[in-house]
Amino acid sequence: MAIPLNLLLVEDSQLDADLILAELQRGGFDLKWKRVQTEADFLDEISKSPDIILSDYAMPQFSGLRAAKLLQESGFNIPFILVSGTVGEDVAVQAMKHGATDYLLKDRLARLGSAVQSALEQQWVRRLRQQAEDELRESEKKFRQLAENISEVFWMTNPAKHQMLYISPAYEKIWGGTCGSLYHSPQSWLEAIHPEDRARIIEAATTKQERGDYDETYRIVRPDGTERWIHDRGYPVRNGVGEVYRIVGVAEDITERRKLEENLRKSEAELLVTFENAPMGMGLIKEGARFLKTNRALQQMLGYSADELQGKAFSELTHPDDVEVGIALYQELVEGKRDQFQIEKRYLRKGGEVVHGRLTASVVRGPTGQAQYSIGMVEDITEKKKLEAQFLRAQRMENIGTLAGGIAHDLNNVLAPILMSCELLQMEARDEGTRNLVGMIKGSAQRGADLVKQVLSFARGVEGRRIAVQPKHLVREMVNITRQTFPKSLGIESVLPNNLWLLSGDPTQLHQVLLNLCVNARDAMPGEGSLKITAENILLDATSAGLHHDAKPGPYVVIKVTDTGTGIPPEVREKIFDPFFTTKEVGKGTGLGLSTTLGIVRSHGGFINVESEPGRGSTFEVWLPADTGKEASAAQDEETRLPRGNGEVILVVDDEASLRALARDTLEAFGYVVLTATNGADALGIYSRHKDSIDVVLTDTMMPVMDGVALAIALKHASPGVRVILASGLSNPEHQRSAAVAGIKHFLPKPYNAELLLKSLAEILHSP
């Protein structure tokens, strides 16, 4: 197959040109040729890049040497063969210097084909070499541009490390030394390594670099003394037979990254400490609403360890009634329908106990917006819920107190005439049976009045009056009540010594203490059982008093109420005195009995001990300070001698007609002159007409038109020396403050009996 050849022939002889063309065709070339014989034509044709140039040595207007020189100056890399009839060796050498590839004599054209073939092959080799050199230069250029502009240090050494073959300029910025100094002293690379890291890195460089697993982090010390962290990697380069003949690597300054990593580690540690020690329960929840991680507060709140909570679904820890709403809100959170939510819900502790929590949940999303995990923060609001319940109950109690106050006023007005009538009837009665009957009515009415006072005392915290009380009378009365009202299946007994010390207290309140304890004992014995009430004198020394929180050394009367009932479980015993705490069914207990009992005992300076064993009954010990200043006989009932008047004029002011009439009859029976008024305005008119003769004004507090306090203020304004007794069935702090401002010092509680009324009058009449 003929070889295509684009030929430029520089020849002035057509004959010689034909011989050359014929020889080339015989040599197997498919020619495309052009013949020129002038310099201008030659320059024009070489710009067209022929495959080869054959040139005669001597021509009339041009020469082969000139053509070779022009080709060399043009920069075109085209094979040039000089063909001449006669050419000496010196001409041939000169032609070769001008870039000629070969030369031939015209009488030896037989080797022209092989000479052209050889020239073309040499040209191809030169082109490949030039291309390779160009590519190498370009590669080296790119490498240097990369190496000299990256922030990392590119380095190259021989395997023995005693020659630095290349180091990029970043070395000077990071290490602080010059590249020239490293070329001069390659060991200065290792000498810059921190002393604590140097031995490790030398060992690694010796053993790992030729294996290809050299990847180390170490510190260097710059000439100015500052330290930098370096991440250094190295790899072996092998020759054709597999021998390592150089080591290349990249070292980067990771000081700032190390600082960020260290700060991140510190932040993570601080975050972990904050998470673990947060006072609020916290948990991370992954897909499936399961706990990934929890803190101590949540573990303590729920009673589980961290391992027990991990992987547990929050629905397993939620009260069944609260599961559905919690799952629905969580699903909306994950689906992106809400960013967070907050609810109050009930959790189940490990033992089944219910705790209340306020859950605030939010979600953490990835770059694509997909939920990665959610964060739950749980505040234990169990105590708050209890307080809220107690507050609501307290509000109800306050409302009850307000209602009780209004009812008490009316009840006092009802009971007062009964009490005063009983005393008048007893004075008029001639036979024992009538007196006993009236005494029973009086006792019942007085008990009703005391109960009204007790309701007000409980609802409004009013202190009862303190008198000397014989505890055995309280116990005997309570035994009688329980025997009459408790089931007959219960055995009731009491043990009382004859020499019990006296107590200083409110008999109605102490009666309530015994009643509450006895009722609780009855409820603890639903079938049959035994109730025993005992009392004894005990002198408490300092050592024994130290064992009781509320005790002080001294004499005590100890009243014990013992039952053989169900007993109190240990886990409940600490709560029995809490307000509104009860183990009874709904509607069978308010949870106020023992709370009220403890409050009364403490107000009397005493304390309560409880001993109980489930299934074997309970004993409540009520310790009350004794008043040993009086003998027990002082508590014996004696006939009361009532003080009498001596014609003093008393103005009685009350809107209740029955009270006005009974007060008038009672006072007149005991030697007083009585004027009456229906309200404050009526009383002012009467007082203005008889002020010189009126000795005392007895007025009710709550009346229409003008109440008792307003009346007292008006009377004091008109007559500063007027004596006023303010009667009321309520303890109203506002009225008391107003009365005190008006200078009123004498008060009479309603309902009052004749004894209390007459003693109050005697006291105010004989006071200075």
Side-chain angles (χ1 to χ4, degrees):
M1 184 175 178
I3 301 171
L5 181 65
N6 184 9
L7 171 66
L8 175 62
L9 184 59
V10 183
E11 177 64 61
D12 61 334
S13 170
Q14 184 61 48
L15 179 61
D16 289 344
D18 292 339
L19 291 173
I20 291 172
L21 294 174
E23 187 63 34
L24 288 175
Q25 288 173 347
R26 192 167 41 253
F29 291 98
D30 180 12
L31 296 176
K32 179 181 178 182
W33 57 277
K34 181 73 174 180
R35 183 171 71 91
V36 297
Q37 52 185 332
T38 65
E39 182 174 323
D41 291 339
F42 176 77
L43 291 174
D44 182 55
E45 290 298 326
I46 64 174
S47 64
K48 299 176 182 179
S49 299
D51 294 331
I52 194 168
I53 300 173
L54 299 181
S55 176
D56 189 10
Y57 171 67
M59 292 174 288
Q61 299 178 11
F62 199 29
S63 70
L65 290 179
R66 176 62 178 169
K69 185 176 181 181
L70 290 174
L71 178 63
Q72 188 180 45
E73 292 174 352
S74 69
F76 292 110
N77 189 13
I78 302 172
F80 186 93
I81 298 177
L82 187 65
V83 181
S84 178
T86 58
V87 60
E89 185 176 341
D90 55 338
V91 174
V93 171
Q94 190 175 4
M96 298 298 285
K97 287 181 179 181
H98 288 305
T101 306
D102 202 353
Y103 67 91
L104 290 173
L105 296 176
K106 289 183 179 181
D107 57 356
R108 298 180 184 179
L109 290 179
R111 78 176 191 88
L112 179 60
S114 61
V116 169
Q117 182 69 34
S118 176
L120 292 173
E121 289 177 355
Q122 291 179 28
Q123 174 67 9
W124 180 74
V125 170
R126 283 195 300 272
R127 284 179 178 175
L128 287 180
R129 184 184 299 114
Q130 184 64 42
Q131 183 178 353
E133 290 175 354
D134 291 344
E135 290 176 354
L136 179 59
R137 280 193 297 270
E138 184 63 24
S139 176
E140 288 179 349
K141 179 181 178 181
K142 291 179 179 180
F143 168 76
R144 289 187 179 278
Q145 288 176 342
L146 176 64
E148 291 175 5
N149 288 280
I150 61 175
S151 57
E152 293 83 2
V153 177
F154 181 81
W155 54 269
M156 184 185 304
T157 69
N158 65 338
K161 314 293 187 304
H162 57 66
Q163 183 181 5
M164 180 60 65
L165 301 176
Y166 179 78
I167 187 74
S168 66
Y171 170 79
E172 297 184 353
K173 180 180 179 181
I174 297 175
W175 260 259
T178 64
C179 295
S181 65
L182 192 59
Y183 285 125
H184 177 72
S185 177
Q187 293 301 312
S188 60
W189 176 293
L190 296 174
E191 292 171 359
I193 297 175
H194 194 284
E196 295 178 4
D197 300 337
R198 189 176 301 154
R200 172 174 59 86
I201 299 305
I202 291 175
E203 174 68 19
T206 304
T207 59
K208 295 181 178 181
Q209 285 183 353
E210 293 192 17
R211 294 203 308 258
D213 57 354
Y214 176 79
D215 190 335
E216 302 294 329
T217 300
Y218 54 87
R219 292 164 293 173
I220 63 169
V221 181
R222 290 164 50 92
D224 60 5
T226 57
E227 294 183 5
R228 309 294 291 180
W229 279 93
I230 305 298
H231 180 210
D232 196 6
R233 290 156 292 169
Y235 312 93
V237 179
R238 303 180 184 276
N239 58 20
V241 296
E243 296 174 341
V244 177
Y245 75 100
R246 66 182 58 178
I247 303 293
V248 298
V250 177
E252 60 178 322
D253 185 348
I254 60 169
T255 305
E256 295 305 318
R257 187 196 309 169
R258 291 280 296 200
K259 290 180 181 178
L260 291 175
E261 290 173 352
E262 183 64 26
N263 291 336
L264 180 60
R265 280 192 293 270
K266 289 181 179 178
S267 297
E268 289 176 346
E270 292 172 356
L271 181 61
L272 180 61
V273 170
T274 302
F275 178 83
E276 287 293 337
N277 294 282
M280 181 182 294
M282 299 180 68
L284 303 182
I285 300 173
K286 290 286 284 185
E287 61 275 358
R290 296 184 178 275
F291 282 110
L292 175 66
K293 187 175 181 60
T294 56
N295 70 344
R296 279 194 290 268
L298 188 61
Q299 295 156 19
Q300 292 171 358
M301 176 181 170
L302 300 177
Y304 290 93
S305 67
D307 292 338
E308 289 173 328
L309 284 175
Q310 188 171 7
K312 190 179 288 290
F314 72 72
S315 58
E316 301 176 49
L317 306 167
T318 302
H319 191 282
D321 294 343
D322 297 342
V323 169
E324 185 177 350
V325 64
I327 290 178
L329 288 170
Y330 174 77
Q331 196 63 33
E332 291 181 3
L333 191 71
V334 172
E335 293 174 356
K337 295 179 180 179
R338 58 172 68 236
D339 295 327
Q340 66 174 20
F341 68 83
Q342 185 179 87
I343 58 170
E344 290 185 3
K345 57 181 289 190
R346 291 164 291 178
Y347 292 88
L348 298 176
R349 284 178 58 84
K350 189 173 183 179
E353 180 185 357
V354 175
V355 292
H356 292 262
R358 180 183 289 110
L359 169 65
T360 302
S362 58
V363 68
V364 176
R365 303 188 184 278
T368 61
Q370 183 179 5
Q372 294 183 324
Y373 59 88
S374 59
I375 303 173
M377 294 181 290
V378 184
E379 179 186 0
D380 188 344
I381 59 172
T382 305
E383 291 303 318
K384 181 182 178 182
K385 282 292 184 182
K386 290 180 180 178
L387 291 174
E388 286 178 353
Q390 291 180 11
F391 177 71
L392 291 175
R393 293 189 183 105
Q395 281 187 319
R396 288 199 293 270
M397 290 305 300
E398 183 178 351
N399 293 335
I400 291 172
T402 302
L403 178 62
I407 295 173
H409 177 264
D410 294 334
L411 285 176
N412 286 332
N413 288 337
V414 171
L415 292 171
I418 297 174
L419 288 170
M420 296 179 67
S421 297
C422 288
E423 291 173 336
L424 292 175
L425 287 172
Q426 281 182 322
M427 294 172 60
E428 298 294 333
R430 295 290 180 263
D431 60 278
E432 186 67 25
T434 302
R435 283 196 294 270
N436 289 339
L437 181 61
V438 173
M440 184 181 66
I441 296 173
K442 177 183 176 183
S444 297
Q446 186 61 54
R447 177 67 68 193
D450 290 342
L451 287 174
V452 170
K453 290 179 182 178
Q454 183 178 329
V455 170
L456 289 175
S457 176
F458 175 77
R460 296 191 172 181
V462 178
E463 286 288 340
R465 61 193 180 97
R466 302 296 172 88
I467 61 174
V469 178
Q470 175 52 263
K472 67 181 179 182
H473 295 166
L474 292 174
V475 174
R476 286 172 181 167
E477 184 179 0
M478 187 55 56
V479 169
N480 291 334
I481 292 174
T482 55
R483 282 176 177 167
Q484 293 175 11
T485 59
F486 283 13
K488 301 304 180 184
S489 60
L490 299 180
I492 301 172
E493 62 175 316
S494 65
V495 178
L496 301 170
N498 292 326
N499 62 340
L500 275 179
W501 292 325
L502 295 180
L503 302 174
S504 177
D506 184 323
T508 301
Q509 290 184 350
L510 295 176
H511 181 276
Q512 183 68 34
V513 168
L514 293 178
L515 181 61
N516 287 343
L517 294 178
C518 290
V519 169
N520 283 347
R522 178 202 65 187
D523 294 342
M525 299 182 289
E528 58 182 20
S530 174
L531 172 63
K532 185 177 182 180
I533 307 175
T534 65
E536 61 180 320
N537 298 329
I538 294 181
L539 187 62
L540 195 64
D541 58 27
T543 302
S544 300
L547 301 177
H548 305 280
H549 176 67
D550 297 321
K552 296 180 180 179
Y556 285 83
V557 175
V558 182
I559 303 174
K560 297 182 182 179
V561 178
T562 304
D563 66 71
T564 58
T566 56
I568 305 171
E571 65 272 13
V572 174
R573 197 172 302 161
E574 297 297 324
K575 303 178 181 179
I576 59 175
F577 292 105
D578 292 348
F580 306 106
F581 177 81
T582 180
T583 58
K584 298 178 183 179
E585 297 178 11
V586 176
K588 294 187 177 181
T590 63
L592 292 171
L594 287 178
S595 175
T596 302
T597 297
L598 181 61
I600 292 173
V601 172
R602 283 180 173 173
S603 72
H604 283 74
F607 59 93
I608 299 178
N609 281 342
V610 181
E611 294 182 3
S612 184
E613 185 176 346
R616 303 191 65 177
S618 305
T619 297
F620 282 77
E621 296 180 354
V622 179
W623 292 64
L624 296 166
D627 185 357
T628 57
K630 295 183 180 180
E631 297 295 331
S633 60
Q636 299 296 329
D637 293 333
E638 297 181 358
E639 183 178 354
T640 303
R641 298 181 65 117
L642 300 179
R644 298 181 62 83
N646 190 23
E648 292 89 345
V649 178
I650 310 298
L651 174 58
V652 177
V653 188
D654 203 304
D655 59 329
E656 290 286 336
S658 58
L659 272 177
R660 292 197 308 273
L662 280 170
R664 181 191 61 206
D665 293 345
T666 301
L667 293 175
E668 288 178 348
F670 280 84
Y672 293 98
V673 177
V674 179
L675 300 174
T676 60
T678 58
N679 56 55
D682 186 19
L684 280 176
I686 295 173
Y687 185 82
S688 65
R689 293 192 298 272
H690 304 282
K691 65 178 179 179
D692 293 333
S693 60
I694 293 176
D695 295 290
V696 178
V697 177
L698 171 62
T699 178
D700 188 20
T701 302
M702 297 179 64
M703 296 180 297
V705 183
M706 177 184 285
D707 63 25
V709 175
L711 171 61
I713 293 173
L715 291 174
K716 287 286 185 180
H717 182 73
S719 181
V722 66
R723 294 169 174 165
V724 179
I725 298 177
L726 202 60
S728 176
L730 297 175
S731 177
N732 190 313
E734 184 178 348
H735 285 168
Q736 291 177 355
R737 285 193 295 270
S738 299
V741 171
I744 301 172
K745 301 179 181 179
H746 298 276
F747 299 90
L748 184 63
K750 294 176 69 174
Y752 49 81
N753 53 26
E755 177 185 357
L756 189 56
L757 173 60
L758 293 170
K759 286 183 177 180
S760 297
L761 282 173
E763 180 183 353
I764 194 171
L765 286 170
H766 293 91
S767 63

